[in-house]
Amino acid sequence: MFISAKTGQRVFKLFDLIQEVYKQSGTRVTTGALNSLLADAQLRVQPPTDKGRRLKIYYITQADIYPPRFIAFCNDAKLFHFSYRRYLENRIRDTFDLNHTPIIFTVRQKGEKEI
């Protein structure tokens, strides 16, 4: 947002934007809603393959808020290409109206523990 310190133009709109960002940053999304989004996203764009192995995403869950942190559990994290990760992040942003807040998107493969 462009503001002017000299004239004070649009300064009051800045506080509305700050409140909107704070509200979005505290958004909690259920695992069921995320998995419905995942199923729809996988129907639209197939997960990537490498040497005959296809990425399987088991589920996505939200681990934290301020900022929202999502964890995707899959069969092999090496198959999770950055472009597919970005695709899922953008789907989450569009579906749950998280356009003004940062999102942390973590990928874990089956059997991997968080440190």
Side-chain angles (χ1 to χ4, degrees), residues 22-58:
Y22 184 76
K23 179 182 162 198
Q24 285 184 11
S25 187
T27 299
R28 175 73 66 183
V29 181
T30 64
T31 302
L34 285 168
N35 290 323
S36 295
L37 173 126
L38 176 64
D40 182 53
Q42 287 180 330
L43 284 176
R44 291 175 188 261
V45 177
Q46 288 286 323
T49 60
D50 185 31
K51 298 177 186 168
R53 294 191 62 211
R54 179 167 298 280
L55 171 67
K56 293 178 190 168
I57 305 170
Y58 301 120

mmCIF file of all heavy atoms in Angstrom, residues 22-58:
data_model
loop_
_atom_site.group_PDB
_atom_site.id
_atom_site.type_symbol
_atom_site.label_atom_id
_atom_site.label_comp_id
_atom_site.label_asym_id
_atom_site.label_seq_id
_atom_site.Cartn_x
_atom_site.Cartn_y
_atom_site.Cartn_z
ATOM 1 N N TYR A 22 -3.411 -9.446 10.319
ATOM 2 C CA TYR A 22 -3.401 -10.128 11.617
ATOM 3 C C TYR A 22 -4.512 -11.179 11.690
ATOM 4 O O TYR A 22 -4.294 -12.293 12.163
ATOM 5 C CB TYR A 22 -3.558 -9.107 12.743
ATOM 6 C CG TYR A 22 -3.462 -9.724 14.115
ATOM 7 C CD1 TYR A 22 -2.237 -10.107 14.645
ATOM 8 C CD2 TYR A 22 -4.607 -9.931 14.881
ATOM 9 C CE1 TYR A 22 -2.150 -10.678 15.902
ATOM 10 C CE2 TYR A 22 -4.526 -10.510 16.136
ATOM 11 C CZ TYR A 22 -3.301 -10.881 16.648
ATOM 12 O OH TYR A 22 -3.216 -11.457 17.878
ATOM 13 N N LYS A 23 -5.678 -10.845 11.186
ATOM 14 C CA LYS A 23 -6.806 -11.784 11.177
ATOM 15 C C LYS A 23 -6.484 -12.995 10.308
ATOM 16 O O LYS A 23 -6.721 -14.140 10.707
ATOM 17 C CB LYS A 23 -8.062 -11.080 10.664
ATOM 18 C CG LYS A 23 -9.276 -11.953 10.594
ATOM 19 C CD LYS A 23 -10.450 -11.172 10.025
ATOM 20 C CE LYS A 23 -11.517 -12.122 9.558
ATOM 21 N NZ LYS A 23 -12.457 -11.498 8.655
ATOM 22 N N GLN A 24 -5.930 -12.772 9.127
ATOM 23 C CA GLN A 24 -5.584 -13.879 8.237
ATOM 24 C C GLN A 24 -4.475 -14.738 8.827
ATOM 25 O O GLN A 24 -4.481 -15.965 8.671
ATOM 26 C CB GLN A 24 -5.139 -13.355 6.867
ATOM 27 C CG GLN A 24 -6.262 -12.867 6.008
ATOM 28 C CD GLN A 24 -5.775 -12.454 4.636
ATOM 29 O OE1 GLN A 24 -4.634 -12.705 4.250
ATOM 30 N NE2 GLN A 24 -6.652 -11.816 3.878
ATOM 31 N N SER A 25 -3.545 -14.121 9.503
ATOM 32 C CA SER A 25 -2.427 -14.855 10.080
ATOM 33 C C SER A 25 -2.889 -15.803 11.190
ATOM 34 O O SER A 25 -2.250 -16.813 11.449
ATOM 35 C CB SER A 25 -1.397 -13.872 10.621
ATOM 36 O OG SER A 25 -0.246 -14.533 11.039
ATOM 37 N N GLY A 26 -3.999 -15.489 11.827
ATOM 38 C CA GLY A 26 -4.535 -16.331 12.895
ATOM 39 C C GLY A 26 -5.588 -17.318 12.430
ATOM 40 O O GLY A 26 -6.245 -17.958 13.251
ATOM 41 N N THR A 27 -5.745 -17.476 11.131
ATOM 42 C CA THR A 27 -6.759 -18.375 10.598
ATOM 43 C C THR A 27 -6.413 -19.825 10.897
ATOM 44 O O THR A 27 -5.284 -20.263 10.714
ATOM 45 C CB THR A 27 -6.880 -18.193 9.069
ATOM 46 O OG1 THR A 27 -7.269 -16.849 8.806
ATOM 47 C CG2 THR A 27 -7.909 -19.138 8.479
ATOM 48 N N ARG A 28 -7.399 -20.578 11.367
ATOM 49 C CA ARG A 28 -7.241 -22.001 11.636
ATOM 50 C C ARG A 28 -8.089 -22.756 10.615
ATOM 51 O O ARG A 28 -9.270 -22.480 10.465
ATOM 52 C CB ARG A 28 -7.708 -22.316 13.058
ATOM 53 C CG ARG A 28 -7.722 -23.763 13.439
ATOM 54 C CD ARG A 28 -6.376 -24.353 13.658
ATOM 55 N NE ARG A 28 -5.703 -23.779 14.814
ATOM 56 C CZ ARG A 28 -4.465 -24.123 15.149
ATOM 57 N NH1 ARG A 28 -3.800 -24.998 14.435
ATOM 58 N NH2 ARG A 28 -3.900 -23.576 16.187
ATOM 59 N N VAL A 29 -7.469 -23.703 9.910
ATOM 60 C CA VAL A 29 -8.147 -24.497 8.891
ATOM 61 C C VAL A 29 -8.172 -25.945 9.354
ATOM 62 O O VAL A 29 -7.144 -26.474 9.780
ATOM 63 C CB VAL A 29 -7.423 -24.385 7.522
ATOM 64 C CG1 VAL A 29 -8.152 -25.183 6.465
ATOM 65 C CG2 VAL A 29 -7.281 -22.942 7.098
ATOM 66 N N THR A 30 -9.324 -26.586 9.251
ATOM 67 C CA THR A 30 -9.434 -27.974 9.703
ATOM 68 C C THR A 30 -8.716 -28.912 8.740
ATOM 69 O O THR A 30 -8.566 -28.621 7.552
ATOM 70 C CB THR A 30 -10.904 -28.414 9.814
ATOM 71 O OG1 THR A 30 -11.492 -28.389 8.508
ATOM 72 C CG2 THR A 30 -11.683 -27.507 10.750
ATOM 73 N N THR A 31 -8.299 -30.049 9.258
ATOM 74 C CA THR A 31 -7.628 -31.045 8.436
ATOM 75 C C THR A 31 -8.562 -31.585 7.362
ATOM 76 O O THR A 31 -8.149 -31.830 6.229
ATOM 77 C CB THR A 31 -7.100 -32.195 9.322
ATOM 78 O OG1 THR A 31 -6.212 -31.633 10.298
ATOM 79 C CG2 THR A 31 -6.344 -33.234 8.514
ATOM 80 N N GLY A 32 -9.839 -31.730 7.690
ATOM 81 C CA GLY A 32 -10.810 -32.201 6.707
ATOM 82 C C GLY A 32 -10.937 -31.261 5.524
ATOM 83 O O GLY A 32 -10.994 -31.692 4.370
ATOM 84 N N ALA A 33 -10.968 -29.958 5.803
ATOM 85 C CA ALA A 33 -11.062 -28.971 4.717
ATOM 86 C C ALA A 33 -9.791 -28.984 3.867
ATOM 87 O O ALA A 33 -9.853 -28.881 2.640
ATOM 88 C CB ALA A 33 -11.297 -27.576 5.294
ATOM 89 N N LEU A 34 -8.644 -29.128 4.512
ATOM 90 C CA LEU A 34 -7.379 -29.189 3.765
ATOM 91 C C LEU A 34 -7.311 -30.434 2.888
ATOM 92 O O LEU A 34 -6.825 -30.388 1.765
ATOM 93 C CB LEU A 34 -6.191 -29.167 4.727
ATOM 94 C CG LEU A 34 -5.883 -27.822 5.361
ATOM 95 C CD1 LEU A 34 -4.891 -27.995 6.510
ATOM 96 C CD2 LEU A 34 -5.341 -26.854 4.337
ATOM 97 N N ASN A 35 -7.806 -31.557 3.389
ATOM 98 C CA ASN A 35 -7.765 -32.787 2.613
ATOM 99 C C ASN A 35 -8.767 -32.777 1.462
ATOM 100 O O ASN A 35 -8.516 -33.376 0.418
ATOM 101 C CB ASN A 35 -7.944 -34.001 3.520
ATOM 102 C CG ASN A 35 -6.722 -34.193 4.400
ATOM 103 O OD1 ASN A 35 -5.599 -33.965 3.976
ATOM 104 N ND2 ASN A 35 -6.947 -34.584 5.625
ATOM 105 N N SER A 36 -9.876 -32.083 1.621
ATOM 106 C CA SER A 36 -10.803 -31.893 0.502
ATOM 107 C C SER A 36 -10.139 -31.051 -0.582
ATOM 108 O O SER A 36 -10.248 -31.358 -1.776
ATOM 109 C CB SER A 36 -12.078 -31.198 0.972
ATOM 110 O OG SER A 36 -12.786 -32.013 1.856
ATOM 111 N N LEU A 37 -9.448 -30.000 -0.162
ATOM 112 C CA LEU A 37 -8.703 -29.174 -1.101
ATOM 113 C C LEU A 37 -7.625 -30.003 -1.796
ATOM 114 O O LEU A 37 -7.431 -29.894 -2.995
ATOM 115 C CB LEU A 37 -8.062 -28.004 -0.365
ATOM 116 C CG LEU A 37 -7.127 -27.150 -1.199
ATOM 117 C CD1 LEU A 37 -7.548 -25.704 -1.120
ATOM 118 C CD2 LEU A 37 -5.712 -27.307 -0.733
ATOM 119 N N LEU A 38 -6.928 -30.853 -1.050
ATOM 120 C CA LEU A 38 -5.875 -31.700 -1.612
ATOM 121 C C LEU A 38 -6.436 -32.655 -2.663
ATOM 122 O O LEU A 38 -5.855 -32.806 -3.741
ATOM 123 C CB LEU A 38 -5.168 -32.483 -0.508
ATOM 124 C CG LEU A 38 -4.116 -33.489 -0.948
ATOM 125 C CD1 LEU A 38 -2.957 -32.784 -1.632
ATOM 126 C CD2 LEU A 38 -3.632 -34.291 0.248
ATOM 127 N N ALA A 39 -7.567 -33.272 -2.368
ATOM 128 C CA ALA A 39 -8.177 -34.201 -3.328
ATOM 129 C C ALA A 39 -8.554 -33.476 -4.618
ATOM 130 O O ALA A 39 -8.293 -33.976 -5.714
ATOM 131 C CB ALA A 39 -9.402 -34.863 -2.700
ATOM 132 N N ASP A 40 -9.138 -32.298 -4.473
ATOM 133 C CA ASP A 40 -9.512 -31.510 -5.660
ATOM 134 C C ASP A 40 -8.276 -31.064 -6.437
ATOM 135 O O ASP A 40 -8.248 -31.124 -7.661
ATOM 136 C CB ASP A 40 -10.336 -30.299 -5.228
ATOM 137 C CG ASP A 40 -10.799 -29.479 -6.400
ATOM 138 O OD1 ASP A 40 -11.418 -30.061 -7.325
ATOM 139 O OD2 ASP A 40 -10.544 -28.258 -6.415
ATOM 140 N N ALA A 41 -7.233 -30.634 -5.723
ATOM 141 C CA ALA A 41 -6.007 -30.181 -6.383
ATOM 142 C C ALA A 41 -5.325 -31.319 -7.131
ATOM 143 O O ALA A 41 -4.790 -31.120 -8.226
ATOM 144 C CB ALA A 41 -5.051 -29.582 -5.348
ATOM 145 N N GLN A 42 -5.352 -32.526 -6.567
ATOM 146 C CA GLN A 42 -4.725 -33.664 -7.230
ATOM 147 C C GLN A 42 -5.517 -34.121 -8.450
ATOM 148 O O GLN A 42 -4.947 -34.659 -9.382
ATOM 149 C CB GLN A 42 -4.550 -34.819 -6.247
ATOM 150 C CG GLN A 42 -3.452 -34.568 -5.246
ATOM 151 C CD GLN A 42 -3.273 -35.709 -4.263
ATOM 152 O OE1 GLN A 42 -4.211 -36.421 -3.935
ATOM 153 N NE2 GLN A 42 -2.060 -35.871 -3.786
ATOM 154 N N LEU A 43 -6.820 -33.897 -8.447
ATOM 155 C CA LEU A 43 -7.610 -34.214 -9.639
ATOM 156 C C LEU A 43 -7.306 -33.237 -10.771
ATOM 157 O O LEU A 43 -7.261 -33.627 -11.937
ATOM 158 C CB LEU A 43 -9.102 -34.171 -9.316
ATOM 159 C CG LEU A 43 -9.657 -35.358 -8.541
ATOM 160 C CD1 LEU A 43 -11.126 -35.128 -8.219
ATOM 161 C CD2 LEU A 43 -9.484 -36.640 -9.325
ATOM 162 N N ARG A 44 -7.105 -31.975 -10.423
ATOM 163 C CA ARG A 44 -6.815 -30.958 -11.442
ATOM 164 C C ARG A 44 -5.408 -31.107 -12.018
ATOM 165 O O ARG A 44 -5.212 -31.015 -13.214
ATOM 166 C CB ARG A 44 -6.970 -29.558 -10.860
ATOM 167 C CG ARG A 44 -8.391 -29.195 -10.537
ATOM 168 C CD ARG A 44 -8.416 -27.832 -9.856
ATOM 169 N NE ARG A 44 -9.726 -27.515 -9.370
ATOM 170 C CZ ARG A 44 -10.589 -26.730 -10.008
ATOM 171 N NH1 ARG A 44 -10.256 -26.191 -11.143
ATOM 172 N NH2 ARG A 44 -11.768 -26.487 -9.485
ATOM 173 N N VAL A 45 -4.420 -31.290 -11.126
ATOM 174 C CA VAL A 45 -3.022 -31.429 -11.547
ATOM 175 C C VAL A 45 -2.430 -32.645 -10.839
ATOM 176 O O VAL A 45 -2.367 -32.672 -9.611
ATOM 177 C CB VAL A 45 -2.200 -30.161 -11.191
ATOM 178 C CG1 VAL A 45 -0.737 -30.349 -11.579
ATOM 179 C CG2 VAL A 45 -2.776 -28.936 -11.848
ATOM 180 N N GLN A 46 -2.030 -33.631 -11.618
ATOM 181 C CA GLN A 46 -1.461 -34.854 -11.054
ATOM 182 C C GLN A 46 -0.139 -34.550 -10.347
ATOM 183 O O GLN A 46 0.645 -33.736 -10.817
ATOM 184 C CB GLN A 46 -1.192 -35.866 -12.166
ATOM 185 C CG GLN A 46 -2.437 -36.484 -12.748
ATOM 186 C CD GLN A 46 -3.034 -37.501 -11.789
ATOM 187 O OE1 GLN A 46 -2.331 -38.217 -11.113
ATOM 188 N NE2 GLN A 46 -4.350 -37.538 -11.749
ATOM 189 N N PRO A 47 0.126 -35.231 -9.217
ATOM 190 C CA PRO A 47 1.435 -35.076 -8.562
ATOM 191 C C PRO A 47 2.554 -35.553 -9.488
ATOM 192 O O PRO A 47 2.340 -36.423 -10.333
ATOM 193 C CB PRO A 47 1.326 -35.980 -7.332
ATOM 194 C CG PRO A 47 -0.130 -36.108 -7.074
ATOM 195 C CD PRO A 47 -0.784 -36.053 -8.424
ATOM 196 N N PRO A 48 3.740 -34.992 -9.332
ATOM 197 C CA PRO A 48 4.843 -35.336 -10.235
ATOM 198 C C PRO A 48 5.351 -36.762 -10.057
ATOM 199 O O PRO A 48 5.151 -37.388 -9.016
ATOM 200 C CB PRO A 48 5.936 -34.333 -9.863
ATOM 201 C CG PRO A 48 5.600 -33.875 -8.494
ATOM 202 C CD PRO A 48 4.123 -33.991 -8.352
ATOM 203 N N THR A 49 6.002 -37.276 -11.099
ATOM 204 C CA THR A 49 6.634 -38.595 -11.057
ATOM 205 C C THR A 49 8.116 -38.424 -11.366
ATOM 206 O O THR A 49 8.537 -37.457 -11.988
ATOM 207 C CB THR A 49 6.026 -39.552 -12.085
ATOM 208 O OG1 THR A 49 6.212 -38.997 -13.387
ATOM 209 C CG2 THR A 49 4.556 -39.788 -11.838
ATOM 210 N N ASP A 50 8.896 -39.409 -10.926
ATOM 211 C CA ASP A 50 10.319 -39.428 -11.229
ATOM 212 C C ASP A 50 10.756 -40.879 -11.344
ATOM 213 O O ASP A 50 10.615 -41.646 -10.385
ATOM 214 C CB ASP A 50 11.125 -38.717 -10.140
ATOM 215 C CG ASP A 50 12.601 -38.606 -10.480
ATOM 216 O OD1 ASP A 50 12.922 -38.508 -11.677
ATOM 217 O OD2 ASP A 50 13.424 -38.628 -9.541
ATOM 218 N N LYS A 51 11.226 -41.250 -12.523
ATOM 219 C CA LYS A 51 11.698 -42.608 -12.807
ATOM 220 C C LYS A 51 10.639 -43.661 -12.457
ATOM 221 O O LYS A 51 10.915 -44.679 -11.844
ATOM 222 C CB LYS A 51 12.990 -42.889 -12.039
ATOM 223 C CG LYS A 51 14.118 -41.979 -12.445
ATOM 224 C CD LYS A 51 15.355 -42.224 -11.635
ATOM 225 C CE LYS A 51 16.397 -41.175 -11.994
ATOM 226 N NZ LYS A 51 17.516 -41.173 -11.069
ATOM 227 N N GLY A 52 9.408 -43.364 -12.820
ATOM 228 C CA GLY A 52 8.319 -44.307 -12.609
ATOM 229 C C GLY A 52 7.688 -44.268 -11.229
ATOM 230 O O GLY A 52 6.686 -44.931 -10.982
ATOM 231 N N ARG A 53 8.223 -43.474 -10.319
ATOM 232 C CA ARG A 53 7.654 -43.362 -8.968
ATOM 233 C C ARG A 53 6.800 -42.109 -8.892
ATOM 234 O O ARG A 53 7.225 -41.025 -9.274
ATOM 235 C CB ARG A 53 8.765 -43.284 -7.921
ATOM 236 C CG ARG A 53 9.567 -44.579 -7.848
ATOM 237 C CD ARG A 53 10.475 -44.611 -6.653
ATOM 238 N NE ARG A 53 9.669 -44.544 -5.442
ATOM 239 C CZ ARG A 53 10.079 -43.977 -4.305
ATOM 240 N NH1 ARG A 53 11.267 -43.441 -4.228
ATOM 241 N NH2 ARG A 53 9.309 -43.953 -3.240
ATOM 242 N N ARG A 54 5.584 -42.271 -8.415
ATOM 243 C CA ARG A 54 4.656 -41.140 -8.297
ATOM 244 C C ARG A 54 4.607 -40.665 -6.847
ATOM 245 O O ARG A 54 4.605 -41.457 -5.919
ATOM 246 C CB ARG A 54 3.258 -41.540 -8.742
ATOM 247 C CG ARG A 54 2.268 -40.372 -8.613
ATOM 248 C CD ARG A 54 0.969 -40.603 -9.299
ATOM 249 N NE ARG A 54 1.080 -40.786 -10.725
ATOM 250 C CZ ARG A 54 1.215 -39.789 -11.609
ATOM 251 N NH1 ARG A 54 1.298 -38.554 -11.200
ATOM 252 N NH2 ARG A 54 1.278 -40.045 -12.897
ATOM 253 N N LEU A 55 4.564 -39.350 -6.698
ATOM 254 C CA LEU A 55 4.396 -38.739 -5.382
ATOM 255 C C LEU A 55 3.000 -39.054 -4.865
ATOM 256 O O LEU A 55 2.013 -38.859 -5.565
ATOM 257 C CB LEU A 55 4.585 -37.224 -5.482
ATOM 258 C CG LEU A 55 4.243 -36.414 -4.235
ATOM 259 C CD1 LEU A 55 5.225 -36.715 -3.112
ATOM 260 C CD2 LEU A 55 4.255 -34.933 -4.558
ATOM 261 N N LYS A 56 2.928 -39.536 -3.652
ATOM 262 C CA LYS A 56 1.643 -39.763 -2.987
ATOM 263 C C LYS A 56 1.588 -38.870 -1.756
ATOM 264 O O LYS A 56 2.432 -38.978 -0.870
ATOM 265 C CB LYS A 56 1.505 -41.223 -2.555
ATOM 266 C CG LYS A 56 1.419 -42.185 -3.695
ATOM 267 C CD LYS A 56 1.339 -43.602 -3.170
ATOM 268 C CE LYS A 56 1.497 -44.576 -4.318
ATOM 269 N NZ LYS A 56 1.713 -45.943 -3.846
ATOM 270 N N ILE A 57 0.619 -37.983 -1.728
ATOM 271 C CA ILE A 57 0.431 -37.110 -0.570
ATOM 272 C C ILE A 57 -0.697 -37.713 0.241
ATOM 273 O O ILE A 57 -1.823 -37.830 -0.224
ATOM 274 C CB ILE A 57 0.092 -35.675 -1.002
ATOM 275 C CG1 ILE A 57 1.170 -35.145 -1.947
ATOM 276 C CG2 ILE A 57 -0.031 -34.774 0.217
ATOM 277 C CD1 ILE A 57 0.817 -33.838 -2.604
ATOM 278 N N TYR A 58 -0.375 -38.126 1.469
ATOM 279 C CA TYR A 58 -1.360 -38.795 2.309
ATOM 280 C C TYR A 58 -2.368 -37.803 2.886
ATOM 281 O O TYR A 58 -3.564 -38.021 2.805
ATOM 282 C CB TYR A 58 -0.669 -39.571 3.424
ATOM 283 C CG TYR A 58 0.289 -40.618 2.900
ATOM 284 C CD1 TYR A 58 1.634 -40.575 3.214
ATOM 285 C CD2 TYR A 58 -0.149 -41.629 2.059
ATOM 286 C CE1 TYR A 58 2.513 -41.531 2.732
ATOM 287 C CE2 TYR A 58 0.715 -42.586 1.566
ATOM 288 C CZ TYR A 58 2.052 -42.527 1.914
ATOM 289 O OH TYR A 58 2.915 -43.461 1.422
#
